[in-house]
Amino acid sequence: MEIAQDSSETREVEAGAEFSVDLSRSGGAGYRWEVAGLPDGIAVTGHSLMPEGATAAAPPTPGAPIVQRFALRAMASGTITFRLKRPWEEASVRTHTANIRVR
């Protein structure tokens, strides 16, 4: 897998409103994003996988990139840390931090 740079983002959200963080990964290398740090006041409310760029006319091909979507709800500001890794390995190949500011 090509190792990309770590990334970050800052979001402003309404207190109690649901929002999502979408993270791309390879579809066939065994890597997946996991929540590595979740502060009090922010909760994961769902998780889904979507083929990147797939449509009804152009279905995904095996091993194509996948978008991993984390649905979240924030009642307080904080920073969420995600790690891209294989479940059987300790080390991550990439991290993503989402700085959440509640209005």
Side-chain angles (χ1 to χ4, degrees):
M1 171 173 197
E2 180 180 318
I3 298 176
Q5 295 288 328
D6 291 344
S7 57
S8 66
E9 66 181 290
T10 299
R11 298 265 190 99
E12 284 196 24
V13 299
E14 296 291 329
E18 192 163 291
F19 63 98
S20 64
V21 173
D22 294 348
L23 301 167
S24 183
R25 66 175 175 91
S26 174
Y31 290 95
R32 67 179 184 194
W33 286 100
E34 63 180 35
V35 177
L38 189 66
D40 291 339
I42 300 178
V44 176
T45 60
H47 176 260
S48 61
L49 301 173
M50 303 169 293
E52 191 172 278
T55 64
T61 56
I66 291 176
V67 173
Q68 213 172 325
R69 174 171 284 171
F70 291 88
L72 302 138
R73 179 168 287 124
M75 296 306 291
S77 297
T79 299
I80 308 164
T81 304
F82 300 90
R83 296 186 329 157
L84 181 63
K85 63 182 280 299
R86 291 178 171 144
W88 61 90
E89 295 177 341
E90 284 299 315
S92 59
V93 296
R94 187 173 170 204
T95 61
H96 179 80
T97 53
N99 302 300
I100 309 302
R101 295 185 184 144
V102 172
R103 297 180 264 202

Coordinates of all heavy atoms in Angstrom, one line a residue:
M1 N 0.9 -1.2 0.0 CA 0.0 0.0 0.0 C 0.9 1.2 0.0 O 1.9 1.3 0.7 CB -0.9 0.0 1.2 CG -1.6 1.3 1.4 SD -2.8 1.2 2.8 CE -3.8 2.6 2.3
E2 N 0.6 2.2 -0.8 CA 1.3 3.5 -0.8 C 0.9 4.2 0.4 O -0.3 4.4 0.8 CB 0.8 4.3 -2.1 CG 1.5 5.6 -2.1 CD 1.1 6.4 -3.4 OE1 1.0 5.8 -4.4 OE2 0.9 7.6 -3.2
I3 N 1.9 4.7 1.2 CA 1.7 5.3 2.4 C 1.5 6.8 2.2 O 2.4 7.5 1.6 CB 2.8 5.1 3.4 CG1 2.8 3.6 3.7 CG2 2.6 5.8 4.7 CD1 3.9 3.1 4.6
A4 N 0.4 7.4 2.5 CA 0.1 8.8 2.3 C 0.5 9.6 3.6 O 0.8 9.0 4.7 CB -1.3 9.0 2.0
Q5 N 0.5 10.9 3.5 CA 0.8 11.7 4.6 C -0.3 11.7 5.6 O -1.5 11.5 5.3 CB 1.0 13.2 4.2 CG 2.2 13.4 3.3 CD 3.5 13.3 4.1 OE1 3.6 13.6 5.2 NE2 4.5 12.8 3.4
D6 N 0.0 11.9 6.9 CA -1.1 12.1 7.9 C -1.9 13.3 7.5 O -1.4 14.2 6.8 CB -0.4 12.2 9.3 CG 0.2 10.9 9.8 OD1 -0.1 9.9 9.2 OD2 1.0 11.0 10.8
S7 N -3.1 13.3 8.0 CA -4.0 14.5 7.6 C -4.8 14.9 8.8 O -4.9 14.3 9.8 CB -4.9 14.0 6.4 OG -5.7 12.9 6.8
S8 N -5.4 16.1 8.6 CA -6.2 16.7 9.6 C -7.3 17.6 9.0 O -7.1 18.0 7.9 CB -5.4 17.4 10.7 OG -4.8 18.6 10.1
E9 N -8.3 17.9 9.8 CA -9.3 18.8 9.4 C -9.9 19.4 10.6 O -9.8 18.9 11.7 CB -10.4 18.0 8.6 CG -11.2 17.0 9.4 CD -12.3 16.3 8.7 OE1 -13.3 16.9 8.3 OE2 -12.1 15.1 8.4
T10 N -10.5 20.6 10.4 CA -11.3 21.3 11.5 C -12.7 21.5 11.0 O -12.9 21.9 9.9 CB -10.6 22.6 11.8 OG1 -9.2 22.4 12.2 CG2 -11.3 23.4 12.9
R11 N -13.6 21.1 11.9 CA -15.1 21.3 11.6 C -15.8 22.1 12.6 O -15.5 21.9 13.8 CB -15.7 19.9 11.5 CG -15.3 19.0 10.5 CD -16.1 19.1 9.3 NE -15.8 18.0 8.4 CZ -16.5 16.9 8.3 NH1 -17.6 16.6 9.0 NH2 -16.1 15.9 7.4
E12 N -16.7 22.9 12.2 CA -17.6 23.5 13.2 C -19.0 22.9 13.0 O -19.5 22.8 11.9 CB -17.7 25.0 12.9 CG -16.5 25.8 13.3 CD -16.8 27.3 13.4 OE1 -17.9 27.7 13.6 OE2 -15.8 28.0 13.4
V13 N -19.5 22.4 14.1 CA -20.8 21.8 14.1 C -21.8 22.3 15.1 O -21.3 22.9 16.1 CB -20.7 20.2 14.2 CG1 -19.8 19.6 13.1 CG2 -20.1 19.9 15.6
E14 N -23.0 22.2 14.9 CA -24.0 22.6 15.9 C -24.0 21.5 17.0 O -23.9 20.3 16.8 CB -25.4 22.7 15.3 CG -25.6 23.8 14.3 CD -25.5 25.1 14.9 OE1 -25.9 25.3 16.0 OE2 -25.0 26.0 14.2
A15 N -24.2 21.9 18.3 CA -24.3 21.0 19.4 C -25.4 20.0 19.1 O -26.5 20.4 18.8 CB -24.5 21.7 20.7
G16 N -25.1 18.7 19.2 CA -26.1 17.6 19.1 C -26.4 17.3 17.6 O -27.1 16.3 17.4
A17 N -25.9 18.0 16.7 CA -26.2 17.7 15.3 C -25.2 16.5 14.8 O -24.1 16.4 15.2 CB -25.9 18.9 14.4
E18 N -25.8 15.6 14.0 CA -25.0 14.5 13.4 C -24.2 15.0 12.3 O -24.6 15.8 11.5 CB -25.9 13.4 13.0 CG -25.0 12.1 12.8 CD -25.9 10.8 12.8 OE1 -26.4 10.4 13.8 OE2 -26.0 10.3 11.7
F19 N -22.9 14.6 12.1 CA -22.1 14.9 11.0 C -21.2 13.7 10.7 O -21.3 12.7 11.4 CB -21.2 16.1 11.4 CG -20.2 15.9 12.5 CD1 -18.9 15.6 12.3 CD2 -20.7 16.0 13.8 CE1 -18.0 15.3 13.3 CE2 -19.8 15.8 14.9 CZ -18.5 15.5 14.6
S20 N -20.5 13.7 9.6 CA -19.7 12.5 9.2 C -18.3 12.9 8.9 O -18.0 14.1 8.5 CB -20.3 11.8 8.1 OG -20.4 12.6 6.9
V21 N -17.4 12.0 9.1 CA -16.0 12.1 8.6 C -15.8 10.9 7.6 O -16.0 9.8 8.0 CB -15.0 12.0 9.8 CG1 -13.6 11.9 9.3 CG2 -15.2 13.2 10.8
D22 N -15.4 11.3 6.4 CA -15.2 10.3 5.4 C -13.7 10.1 5.1 O -13.0 11.1 4.9 CB -15.8 10.7 4.1 CG -17.3 10.7 4.1 OD1 -17.9 10.2 5.1 OD2 -18.0 11.3 3.2
L23 N -13.2 8.9 5.2 CA -11.8 8.6 5.0 C -11.6 7.5 4.0 O -12.3 6.4 4.0 CB -11.2 8.1 6.4 CG -11.3 9.1 7.5 CD1 -11.0 8.4 8.8 CD2 -10.4 10.3 7.3
S24 N -10.7 7.7 3.0 CA -10.5 6.8 1.9 C -9.4 5.7 2.3 O -8.5 6.0 3.1 CB -10.0 7.6 0.7 OG -9.9 6.7 -0.4
R25 N -9.6 4.5 1.8 CA -8.6 3.5 2.0 C -8.7 2.5 0.8 O -9.6 2.5 0.1 CB -8.9 2.7 3.3 CG -10.2 1.9 3.3 CD -10.4 1.2 4.6 NE -11.6 0.5 4.8 CZ -11.9 -0.8 4.4 NH1 -10.9 -1.5 3.8 NH2 -13.0 -1.3 4.6
S26 N -7.7 1.7 0.8 CA -7.6 0.6 -0.3 C -8.6 -0.4 0.0 O -8.8 -0.8 1.2 CB -6.2 0.0 -0.3 OG -6.2 -1.0 -1.2
G27 N -9.2 -1.0 -1.0 CA -10.3 -2.0 -0.8 C -9.8 -3.4 -0.6 O -10.6 -4.2 -0.1
G28 N -8.6 -3.7 -0.9 CA -8.2 -5.1 -0.9 C -6.9 -5.4 -0.1 O -6.4 -6.5 -0.2
A29 N -6.4 -4.5 0.6 CA -5.1 -4.7 1.3 C -5.2 -5.0 2.8 O -4.2 -5.2 3.4 CB -4.2 -3.4 1.1
G30 N -6.4 -5.1 3.3 CA -6.6 -5.4 4.7 C -6.6 -4.2 5.7 O -6.8 -4.4 6.9
Y31 N -6.4 -3.0 5.1 CA -6.3 -1.9 6.0 C -7.7 -1.3 6.3 O -8.6 -1.4 5.4 CB -5.5 -0.7 5.4 CG -4.0 -1.0 5.3 CD1 -3.5 -1.6 4.2 CD2 -3.2 -0.8 6.4 CE1 -2.1 -1.9 4.1 CE2 -1.8 -1.0 6.3 CZ -1.3 -1.6 5.2 OH 0.0 -1.9 5.2
R32 N -7.9 -0.8 7.5 CA -9.2 -0.1 7.8 C -8.9 1.0 8.8 O -8.0 1.0 9.6 CB -10.2 -1.1 8.4 CG -9.8 -1.7 9.7 CD -10.9 -2.6 10.2 NE -10.5 -3.1 11.5 CZ -11.1 -4.1 12.2 NH1 -12.0 -4.8 11.6 NH2 -10.7 -4.4 13.4
W33 N -9.8 2.0 8.8 CA -9.7 3.1 9.7 C -10.4 2.7 11.0 O -11.4 2.0 11.0 CB -10.4 4.3 9.1 CG -9.6 5.0 8.1 CD1 -9.9 4.9 6.7 CD2 -8.5 5.9 8.2 NE1 -8.9 5.6 6.0 CE2 -8.1 6.3 6.9 CE3 -7.8 6.4 9.3 CZ2 -7.0 7.1 6.7 CZ3 -6.8 7.2 9.1 CH2 -6.4 7.6 7.8
E34 N -9.8 3.1 12.1 CA -10.4 2.8 13.4 C -10.3 4.1 14.2 O -9.4 4.9 14.0 CB -9.8 1.7 14.1 CG -8.3 1.9 14.5 CD -7.7 0.7 15.2 OE1 -8.1 -0.5 15.0 OE2 -6.8 0.9 16.1
V35 N -11.2 4.3 15.1 CA -11.2 5.4 16.0 C -10.2 5.1 17.1 O -10.3 4.1 17.9 CB -12.6 5.7 16.7 CG1 -12.5 6.9 17.7 CG2 -13.6 6.0 15.6
A36 N -9.1 5.9 17.2 CA -8.1 5.7 18.2 C -8.2 6.6 19.4 O -7.7 6.3 20.5 CB -6.7 5.8 17.6
G37 N -8.9 7.7 19.3 CA -9.1 8.6 20.4 C -10.4 9.4 20.2 O -10.6 10.1 19.2
L38 N -11.2 9.2 21.2 CA -12.6 9.9 21.1 C -12.8 10.6 22.5 O -12.9 9.9 23.5 CB -13.6 8.8 20.9 CG -15.0 9.3 20.6 CD1 -15.1 10.0 19.3 CD2 -16.0 8.1 20.6
P39 N -12.8 11.9 22.4 CA -13.0 12.6 23.7 C -14.4 12.5 24.2 O -15.4 12.2 23.5 CB -12.7 14.1 23.3 CG -13.0 14.1 21.9 CD -12.7 12.8 21.3
D40 N -14.6 12.8 25.5 CA -15.9 12.9 26.1 C -16.7 14.0 25.4 O -16.1 15.0 25.0 CB -15.8 13.3 27.6 CG -15.2 12.2 28.5 OD1 -15.2 11.0 28.0 OD2 -14.7 12.5 29.6
G41 N -17.9 13.8 25.2 CA -18.8 14.8 24.5 C -18.9 14.6 23.0 O -19.7 15.3 22.3
I42 N -18.2 13.6 22.5 CA -18.3 13.2 21.1 C -18.6 11.7 21.0 O -17.9 10.9 21.6 CB -17.1 13.6 20.2 CG1 -16.8 15.1 20.3 CG2 -17.2 13.1 18.8 CD1 -15.6 15.6 19.6
A43 N -19.6 11.3 20.2 CA -19.9 9.9 20.1 C -20.0 9.4 18.7 O -20.4 10.2 17.8 CB -21.3 9.6 20.8
V44 N -19.6 8.2 18.4 CA -19.7 7.6 17.1 C -21.2 7.0 17.1 O -21.5 6.2 18.0 CB -18.7 6.5 16.9 CG1 -19.0 5.8 15.5 CG2 -17.3 7.0 16.9
T45 N -22.0 7.4 16.1 CA -23.3 6.9 16.0 C -23.6 6.0 14.9 O -24.6 5.4 14.8 CB -24.3 8.1 15.9 OG1 -24.0 8.8 14.7 CG2 -24.2 9.1 17.0
G46 N -22.6 5.8 14.0 CA -22.7 4.8 12.9 C -21.4 4.7 12.1 O -20.5 5.5 12.3
H47 N -21.4 3.7 11.3 CA -20.2 3.5 10.5 C -20.7 2.8 9.2 O -21.5 1.9 9.2 CB -19.2 2.6 11.3 CG -18.0 2.1 10.5 ND1 -18.0 0.9 9.9 CD2 -16.9 2.8 10.2 CE1 -16.8 0.8 9.3 NE2 -16.1 1.9 9.5
S48 N -20.1 3.2 8.0 CA -20.5 2.5 6.8 C -19.3 2.5 5.8 O -18.4 3.3 6.0 CB -21.7 3.2 6.2 OG -21.4 4.5 5.8
L49 N -19.4 1.7 4.8 CA -18.4 1.6 3.7 C -19.1 1.9 2.4 O -20.2 1.4 2.2 CB -17.8 0.2 3.7 CG -17.1 -0.3 5.0 CD1 -16.7 -1.7 4.8 CD2 -15.9 0.6 5.2
M50 N -18.4 2.6 1.6 CA -19.0 3.0 0.2 C -17.8 2.9 -0.8 O -16.7 3.4 -0.5 CB -19.5 4.4 0.2 CG -20.6 4.7 1.2 SD -20.9 6.4 1.4 CE -19.4 7.0 2.0
P51 N -18.1 2.2 -1.9 CA -17.0 2.2 -3.0 C -16.8 3.6 -3.4 O -17.7 4.4 -3.7 CB -17.6 1.3 -4.1 CG -18.7 0.6 -3.4 CD -19.2 1.4 -2.3
E52 N -15.5 4.0 -3.5 CA -15.2 5.4 -4.0 C -15.5 5.6 -5.4 O -15.0 4.8 -6.3 CB -13.7 5.6 -3.7 CG -13.3 7.1 -3.8 CD -11.9 7.3 -3.4 OE1 -11.7 7.4 -2.2 OE2 -11.0 7.3 -4.2
G53 N -16.4 6.5 -5.8 CA -16.7 6.8 -7.1 C -17.6 5.9 -7.9 O -17.8 6.0 -9.0
A54 N -18.1 4.8 -7.2 CA -19.0 3.9 -7.8 C -20.4 4.5 -8.0 O -20.9 5.2 -7.2 CB -19.1 2.6 -7.0
T55 N -21.0 4.1 -9.1 CA -22.3 4.5 -9.5 C -23.1 3.2 -9.9 O -22.5 2.2 -10.1 CB -22.4 5.5 -10.6 OG1 -21.9 5.0 -11.8 CG2 -21.6 6.8 -10.2
A56 N -24.4 3.3 -10.1 CA -25.2 2.2 -10.7 C -24.6 1.8 -12.0 O -24.6 0.6 -12.4 CB -26.6 2.6 -10.7
A57 N -24.2 2.8 -12.8 CA -23.7 2.5 -14.2 C -22.3 1.9 -14.2 O -21.9 1.3 -15.1 CB -23.8 3.7 -15.0
A58 N -21.5 2.3 -13.1 CA -20.1 1.8 -13.0 C -19.9 1.2 -11.6 O -19.4 1.9 -10.8 CB -19.2 3.0 -13.3
P59 N -20.3 0.0 -11.4 CA -20.1 -0.6 -10.1 C -18.6 -0.7 -9.8 O -17.7 -0.7 -10.7 CB -20.7 -2.0 -10.2 CG -20.8 -2.3 -11.7 CD -20.8 -1.0 -12.4
P60 N -18.3 -0.9 -8.5 CA -16.9 -1.0 -8.1 C -16.2 -2.2 -8.6 O -16.8 -3.3 -8.8 CB -16.9 -0.9 -6.6 CG -18.3 -1.5 -6.3 CD -19.2 -1.1 -7.4
T61 N -14.9 -2.1 -8.8 CA -14.1 -3.3 -9.1 C -13.4 -3.8 -7.9 O -13.2 -3.1 -6.9 CB -13.0 -3.0 -10.2 OG1 -12.2 -1.9 -9.7 CG2 -13.7 -2.5 -11.5
P62 N -13.1 -5.1 -7.8 CA -12.5 -5.7 -6.6 C -11.2 -4.9 -6.3 O -10.4 -4.7 -7.2 CB -12.2 -7.1 -7.0 CG -13.3 -7.4 -8.0 CD -13.4 -6.2 -8.8
G63 N -10.9 -4.6 -5.1 CA -9.7 -3.9 -4.7 C -9.8 -2.4 -4.9 O -8.8 -1.7 -4.6
A64 N -10.9 -1.9 -5.4 CA -11.0 -0.4 -5.7 C -11.0 0.3 -4.4 O -11.4 -0.3 -3.3 CB -12.2 -0.1 -6.5
P65 N -10.6 1.6 -4.4 CA -10.7 2.4 -3.1 C -12.1 2.4 -2.5 O -13.1 2.4 -3.2 CB -10.2 3.8 -3.6 CG -9.5 3.5 -4.8 CD -10.1 2.3 -5.5
I66 N -12.1 2.5 -1.2 CA -13.3 2.5 -0.4 C -13.3 3.7 0.5 O -12.3 4.1 1.0 CB -13.5 1.2 0.4 CG1 -13.7 0.0 -0.5 CG2 -14.6 1.3 1.5 CD1 -13.7 -1.3 0.3
V67 N -14.5 4.3 0.6 CA -14.6 5.4 1.6 C -15.3 4.8 2.9 O -16.3 4.2 2.8 CB -15.5 6.6 1.0 CG1 -15.8 7.6 2.1 CG2 -14.8 7.2 -0.1
Q68 N -14.6 5.0 4.0 CA -15.1 4.6 5.3 C -15.7 5.8 5.9 O -15.1 6.8 6.2 CB -14.0 4.0 6.1 CG -14.4 2.9 7.0 CD -13.2 2.3 7.7 OE1 -12.1 2.1 7.1 NE2 -13.3 1.9 8.9
R69 N -17.1 5.8 6.2 CA -17.8 6.9 6.8 C -18.1 6.7 8.2 O -18.7 5.7 8.6 CB -19.1 7.2 6.0 CG -19.9 8.3 6.6 CD -21.1 8.7 5.8 NE -20.5 9.5 4.7 CZ -21.2 9.9 3.7 NH1 -22.5 9.6 3.5 NH2 -20.6 10.7 2.8
F70 N -17.7 7.6 9.1 CA -18.0 7.6 10.5 C -19.0 8.7 10.8 O -18.8 9.8 10.5 CB -16.7 7.8 11.3 CG -15.7 6.7 11.3 CD1 -14.7 6.7 10.3 CD2 -15.7 5.7 12.2 CE1 -13.8 5.7 10.2 CE2 -14.8 4.7 12.1 CZ -13.8 4.7 11.1
A71 N -20.2 8.2 11.3 CA -21.2 9.2 11.7 C -21.0 9.5 13.1 O -20.7 8.6 14.0 CB -22.6 8.6 11.5
L72 N -21.0 10.8 13.5 CA -20.7 11.3 14.8 C -21.7 12.3 15.3 O -22.4 12.9 14.5 CB -19.3 11.9 14.8 CG -18.2 11.0 14.3 CD1 -17.2 11.7 13.4 CD2 -17.5 10.4 15.5
R73 N -21.7 12.5 16.6 CA -22.5 13.5 17.2 C -21.7 14.2 18.3 O -21.1 13.5 19.1 CB -23.8 13.0 17.8 CG -24.7 14.0 18.5 CD -26.1 13.5 18.8 NE -26.8 13.4 17.6 CZ -27.4 12.3 17.2 NH1 -27.4 11.2 17.9 NH2 -28.1 12.3 16.0
A74 N -21.6 15.5 18.3 CA -20.8 16.2 19.3 C -21.7 17.1 20.2 O -22.5 17.9 19.7 CB -19.7 17.0 18.6
M75 N -21.4 17.0 21.5 CA -22.1 17.9 22.4 C -21.0 18.9 23.0 O -21.4 19.8 23.7 CB -22.7 17.1 23.6 CG -23.8 16.2 23.1 SD -25.1 17.1 22.2 CE -25.9 18.0 23.5
A76 N -19.7 18.6 22.8 CA -18.6 19.4 23.2 C -17.5 19.4 22.2 O -17.4 18.4 21.4 CB -18.1 18.9 24.6
S77 N -16.7 20.4 22.2 CA -15.6 20.4 21.3 C -14.5 19.4 21.7 O -14.4 19.1 22.9 CB -14.9 21.9 21.3 OG -15.9 22.8 20.8
G78 N -13.7 19.0 20.7 CA -12.7 18.0 21.0 C -12.0 17.5 19.7 O -12.4 17.9 18.6
T79 N -11.0 16.7 19.9 CA -10.2 16.2 18.8 C -10.4 14.6 18.7 O -10.2 14.0 19.7 CB -8.8 16.5 18.9 OG1 -8.6 17.9 18.9 CG2 -7.9 16.0 17.7
I80 N -10.8 14.2 17.5 CA -10.9 12.7 17.3 C -9.7 12.3 16.5 O -9.3 12.9 15.5 CB -12.2 12.4 16.5 CG1 -13.4 13.1 17.1 CG2 -12.4 10.9 16.3 CD1 -14.6 13.2 16.2
T81 N -9.1 11.1 16.9 CA -8.0 10.6 16.1 C -8.4 9.3 15.5 O -9.0 8.4 16.2 CB -6.8 10.4 17.1 OG1 -6.5 11.6 17.8 CG2 -5.6 9.8 16.4
F82 N -8.1 9.1 14.2 CA -8.3 7.9 13.5 C -7.0 7.3 13.1 O -6.1 8.1 12.7 CB -9.2 8.2 12.2 CG -10.5 8.8 12.5 CD1 -10.7 10.2 12.5 CD2 -11.6 8.0 12.6 CE1 -11.9 10.8 12.7 CE2 -12.9 8.6 12.9 CZ -13.0 9.9 12.9
R83 N -6.9 6.0 13.0 CA -5.7 5.3 12.6 C -6.0 4.4 11.5 O -7.0 3.6 11.6 CB -5.0 4.5 13.7 CG -4.6 5.3 14.9 CD -3.8 4.5 15.9 NE -4.2 3.1 16.1 CZ -3.5 2.2 16.6 NH1 -2.3 2.4 17.0 NH2 -3.9 0.9 16.7
L84 N -5.2 4.3 10.4 CA -5.3 3.4 9.3 C -4.4 2.3 9.6 O -3.1 2.5 9.6 CB -5.1 4.1 8.0 CG -5.2 3.2 6.8 CD1 -6.6 2.7 6.6 CD2 -4.7 3.9 5.5
K85 N -4.9 1.0 9.8 CA -4.0 -0.1 10.1 C -4.7 -1.4 9.8 O -5.9 -1.4 9.5 CB -3.6 -0.1 11.6 CG -4.8 -0.2 12.5 CD -4.3 -0.1 14.0 CE -3.8 -1.4 14.6 NZ -4.5 -2.6 14.6
R86 N -4.0 -2.5 9.7 CA -4.5 -3.8 9.6 C -4.9 -4.3 11.0 O -4.1 -4.0 11.9 CB -3.5 -4.7 8.9 CG -3.3 -4.4 7.5 CD -2.2 -5.4 7.0 NE -2.1 -5.2 5.5 CZ -1.0 -5.3 4.8 NH1 0.2 -5.5 5.5 NH2 -1.0 -5.2 3.5
P87 N -6.0 -5.0 11.1 CA -6.4 -5.4 12.5 C -5.4 -6.3 13.2 O -5.3 -6.3 14.4 CB -7.7 -6.2 12.2 CG -8.2 -5.8 10.9 CD -7.0 -5.3 10.1
W88 N -4.6 -7.0 12.5 CA -3.6 -7.9 13.2 C -2.3 -7.3 13.4 O -1.4 -7.9 13.9 CB -3.5 -9.2 12.3 CG -3.0 -9.0 10.9 CD1 -1.7 -8.9 10.5 CD2 -3.7 -8.7 9.8 NE1 -1.6 -8.7 9.2 CE2 -2.8 -8.5 8.7 CE3 -5.1 -8.6 9.5 CZ2 -3.3 -8.3 7.4 CZ3 -5.5 -8.4 8.2 CH2 -4.6 -8.2 7.2
E89 N -2.1 -6.0 13.0 CA -0.8 -5.3 13.2 C -1.0 -4.2 14.2 O -2.1 -3.6 14.3 CB -0.3 -4.7 11.9 CG 0.0 -5.8 10.9 CD 0.5 -5.2 9.6 OE1 0.2 -4.1 9.2 OE2 1.1 -6.0 8.8
E90 N 0.0 -3.9 15.0 CA -0.1 -2.8 16.0 C 0.2 -1.5 15.4 O -0.5 -0.5 15.7 CB 1.0 -3.1 17.1 CG 0.6 -4.2 18.1 CD -0.7 -3.9 18.8 OE1 -0.9 -2.7 19.3 OE2 -1.5 -4.8 18.9
A91 N 1.1 -1.4 14.5 CA 1.5 -0.1 13.9 C 0.4 0.4 12.9 O -0.1 -0.4 12.1 CB 2.9 -0.2 13.2
S92 N 0.2 1.7 12.9 CA -0.7 2.3 11.8 C 0.2 2.9 10.7 O 1.4 3.2 11.0 CB -1.6 3.4 12.4 OG -0.8 4.4 13.0
V93 N -0.4 2.9 9.5 CA 0.4 3.5 8.4 C 0.0 5.0 8.2 O 0.7 5.7 7.4 CB 0.2 2.7 7.1 CG1 0.7 1.3 7.3 CG2 -1.3 2.6 6.7
R94 N -1.0 5.4 8.8 CA -1.5 6.8 8.6 C -2.4 7.2 9.7 O -3.1 6.3 10.3 CB -2.2 6.9 7.3 CG -2.6 8.3 6.9 CD -3.2 8.3 5.5 NE -3.7 9.6 5.2 CZ -4.7 9.8 4.3 NH1 -5.2 8.9 3.6 NH2 -5.1 11.1 4.2
T95 N -2.5 8.5 10.1 CA -3.4 8.9 11.0 C -4.2 10.1 10.5 O -3.7 10.8 9.5 CB -2.8 9.4 12.4 OG1 -1.9 10.4 12.1 CG2 -2.1 8.2 13.1
H96 N -5.4 10.3 11.0 CA -6.2 11.5 10.6 C -6.8 12.1 11.9 O -7.3 11.3 12.7 CB -7.3 11.1 9.6 CG -8.2 12.3 9.2 ND1 -7.8 13.2 8.3 CD2 -9.4 12.7 9.7 CE1 -8.8 14.1 8.2 NE2 -9.7 13.8 9.0
T97 N -6.6 13.4 12.1 CA -7.3 14.0 13.2 C -8.4 15.0 12.7 O -8.2 15.7 11.8 CB -6.2 14.8 14.1 OG1 -5.5 15.7 13.2 CG2 -5.2 13.9 14.7
A98 N -9.5 14.9 13.5 CA -10.6 15.8 13.2 C -10.8 16.7 14.4 O -11.1 16.2 15.5 CB -11.8 15.0 12.9
N99 N -10.5 18.0 14.3 CA -10.7 18.9 15.3 C -12.2 19.4 15.2 O -12.5 20.1 14.2 CB -9.7 20.1 15.2 CG -8.3 19.5 15.3 OD1 -7.9 18.9 16.2 ND2 -7.5 19.8 14.2
I100 N -13.0 19.1 16.2 CA -14.4 19.5 16.2 C -14.6 20.7 17.1 O -14.3 20.6 18.3 CB -15.2 18.3 16.6 CG1 -14.9 17.0 15.8 CG2 -16.7 18.6 16.5 CD1 -15.0 17.2 14.3
R101 N -15.2 21.7 16.6 CA -15.6 22.9 17.4 C -17.1 22.9 17.4 O -17.8 23.1 16.3 CB -15.0 24.1 16.8 CG -13.5 24.2 16.8 CD -13.0 25.5 16.3 NE -11.5 25.4 16.3 CZ -10.8 26.0 15.4 NH1 -11.4 26.7 14.4 NH2 -9.5 25.9 15.4
V102 N -17.7 22.9 18.6 CA -19.2 23.0 18.7 C -19.6 24.4 18.9 O -19.0 25.1 19.7 CB -19.6 22.1 19.9 CG1 -21.1 22.3 20.2 CG2 -19.3 20.6 19.7
R103 N -20.6 24.8 18.1 CA -21.1 26.2 18.2 C -22.2 26.2 19.2 O -23.0 25.4 19.4 CB -21.7 26.6 16.9 CG -20.7 26.7 15.8 CD -21.4 27.2 14.6 NE -21.7 26.0 13.8 CZ -21.9 25.9 12.5 NH1 -21.9 27.0 11.8 NH2 -22.1 24.8 11.9

